[in-house]
């Protein structure tokens, strides 16, 4: 009980996906508890993340860790030191943190790309694709962002790939067409069990975002 | 030369202040190079931070580290392991990271509080003060956010205290009045040489923000 690992999650959340992937990379058994974010948040969520009231929340030994990148770093520092997600060299670590933060900076642009309309939407689409081109430039000819090993930046970014299909359908925004090398990287990531098991069916994500869009933009 | 530490900085930047404080906490000699952000950015800045073109940039052994919290963690991992800024326990580290990220989340709210007008400004002022009340709640009766030792969250937050005076003059927003315990904490931090030496005169910051406001809100 004391060693129990609980993840408060919501299946279409890219932030939740990060925590799921990191736990599975480390081979940690966890109790995934699905939150109903569109309806009622559980008392446990409100109690463990009173500041933001958002998933994911990782509860380990009764203590809560919040914010997806903080959770991934916690997982990396707590389990499976033989398969680290962050490199050991301080400079390489700083680069990994920089690019994971960059992913967090472009995430709201992607949201604007499918939620907004008109000129705002066009500008967001362009900025989002530009962001992925920058990421593709950083990836270069490496297998993963950190080199030969799947790591922190890969965990941070791969959940966004999951919504490429929805973005194309909802906003006619094809990141995949513009960034072929990044698609190859994503397909490489998808071959990992930790990733394949943690990312939902893109068609289901599209269906969900379509409902969410209608909810957020009532006629 | 190879060991040379350069900080590309801009004196009123709270993000630059974080890097300055961390370097001084660790007793690292560095070459502070002031950038002219309102005029021309130096070729070195554009070369070392091509993604964001922003200060601070820390250049160590010819390699550039960008983004203030990434820089502070790099400094912590590279120098002065006998006086760490982040705790060694993974859970305590996750809490420090959570609260430093929280500071980054409220920073743009403070900016909106002195840059906007009318209802938007009132809402931003209220949200900003609420953010500091949340931080004051986390501080509780501790000397510093991490307990007895000055650390990562303190480094992240104290630069914002530096603009309290400007915020009061520019937006009639008195965080100090609402958060007396946080002011005591700030005064405690200001007694450290690393902090006192890294924070500019609040009157000068006010003068600077007044000019910046006129520039950003032309009549």
């Amino acid at each position: 009980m004391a060693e129990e690992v609980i993840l408060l999650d919501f299946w279409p959340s890219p932030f939740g996906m990060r925590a799921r992937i990191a736990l599975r990379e480390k081979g940690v058994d966890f109790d995934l508890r699905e939150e109903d974010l569109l309806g009622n948040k559980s008392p446990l969520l409100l109690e463990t993340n009173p500041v933001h009231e958002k998933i994911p929340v990782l509860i380990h030994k009764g203590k809560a860790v919040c914010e997806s990148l903080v959770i991934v770093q916690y997982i990396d520092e707590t389990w499976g030191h033989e398969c680290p997600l962050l490199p050991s060299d301080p400079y390489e670590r700083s680069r990994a943190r920089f690019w994971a933060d960059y992913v967090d900076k472009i995430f709201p642009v992607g949201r604007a790309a499918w939620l907004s309309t008109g000129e705002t939407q066009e500008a967001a689409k362009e900025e989002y694709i530009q962001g992925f081109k920058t990421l593709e430039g950083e990836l270069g000819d490496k297998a993963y962002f950190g080199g030969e090993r799947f790591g922190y930046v890969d965990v941070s970014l791969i959940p966004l790939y999951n919504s490429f299909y929805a973005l194309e359908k909802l906003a006619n925004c094809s990141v995949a067409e513009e960034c072929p090398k990044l698609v190859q990287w994503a397909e490489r990531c998808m071959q990992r069990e930790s990733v394949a098991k943690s990312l939902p069916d893109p068609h289901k994500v599209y269906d969900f975002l379509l409902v969410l869009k209608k909810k957020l933009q009532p006629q």
Side-chain angles (χ1 to χ4, degrees), chain A residues 47-178:
Chain A
E47 180 199 319
T48 51
N49 191 0
V51 174
H52 301 304
E53 301 184 352
K54 285 180 179 173
I55 61 95
V57 177
L58 182 79
I59 308 171
H60 179 218
K61 296 183 183 175
K63 288 178 176 171
V65 182
C66 305
E67 298 281 35
S68 67
L69 291 181
V70 176
I71 291 173
V72 174
Q73 288 179 84
Y74 175 82
I75 292 169
D76 196 36
E77 293 174 359
T78 303
W79 291 286
H81 298 291
E82 69 286 358
C83 50
L85 294 170
L86 275 148
S88 57
D89 174 69
Y91 174 70
E92 294 302 329
R93 288 165 79 83
S94 78
R95 286 191 65 82
R97 289 192 178 117
F98 175 86
W99 286 109
D101 285 354
Y102 183 79
V103 174
D104 270 6
K105 283 192 169 77
I106 66 167
F107 173 78
V109 182
R111 195 177 154 89
W114 61 265
L115 258 183
S116 61
T117 53
E119 278 180 29
T120 311
Q121 182 178 47
E122 288 311 310
K125 283 162 63 175
E126 203 179 309
E127 192 185 337
Y128 199 56
I129 287 174
Q130 197 50 54
F132 275 95
K133 283 187 174 173
T134 300
L135 285 160
E136 193 175 56
E138 168 60 17
L139 177 65
D141 291 319
K142 294 174 289 189
Y144 300 106
F145 278 87
E148 288 306 306
R149 294 175 67 125
F150 180 83
Y152 187 57
V153 183
D154 309 299
V155 175
S156 309
L157 181 60
I158 191 66
L160 267 64
Y161 169 74
N162 194 239
S163 60
F164 278 11
Y165 174 78
L167 205 64
E168 202 165 334
K169 296 275 282 184
L170 288 170
N172 194 27
C173 175
S174 176
V175 185
E177 230 167 68
E178 304 275 347

